[in-house]
Amino acid sequence: MESEHPYKGTLFDKIIIGQRLGDLLMESIGTGILFDEMIELLMEMTKGIADINFKKHYLTDNIFNKDLICFSNLREAPAIGAGIDAYLTKFN
C-alpha cells in the first residue's frame, strides 16, 4: 500500500460502482447477500480508522452510510477513464 498518494485523506461525496459489478450489487440490495456483505466489510474496514472527519463523513450512527454509494450504468466510463489516463501519462 502506498504511504503517499495524491488522494490520500480525500473524502469523496459519492462512491460510484459501475458496469456489471454495479448491476450485481444493485440487484442484491435487500437480499442479504453481496451488497449487505459489502457494507459489512466497509464497516469492518473503517473500525481501524481513527480520523474523526473520516468517520463523520462515511458513517452514520457507526454504520456505513449506504446513501454515499451510487450505481452507474454508463458503459462508456472505462473507455473514458482509459483515455484520460493515457493522455495524462503521455503529457505529464
Side-chain angles (χ1 to χ4, degrees):
M1 181 155 84
E2 290 185 41
S3 61
E4 294 300 320
H5 189 278
Y7 295 111
K8 187 174 183 177
T10 302
L11 300 176
F12 296 100
D13 292 331
K14 296 287 180 187
I15 299 168
I16 301 172
I17 303 172
Q19 297 296 336
R20 300 290 178 225
L21 178 59
D23 291 343
L24 285 171
L25 287 170
M26 189 168 45
E27 289 178 24
S28 73
I29 292 174
T31 65
I33 57 171
L34 286 180
F35 183 77
D36 295 328
E37 290 175 357
M38 180 186 74
I39 296 299
E40 289 293 325
L41 179 61
L42 288 169
M43 288 174 36
E44 188 65 33
M45 292 170 63
T46 60
K47 284 183 181 176
I49 298 175
D51 185 319
I52 193 70
N53 291 324
F54 176 92
K55 289 189 175 193
K56 280 184 188 177
H57 187 76
Y58 290 109
L59 304 179
T60 303
D61 296 326
N62 286 328
I63 297 173
F64 193 86
N65 184 355
K66 297 175 189 178
D67 293 336
L68 296 175
I69 299 174
C70 298
F71 300 102
S72 172
N73 59 5
L74 179 63
R75 298 294 178 228
E76 295 81 7
I80 294 169
I84 291 169
D85 184 58
Y87 176 84
L88 293 175
T89 300
K90 181 175 181 170
F91 294 105
N92 283 332

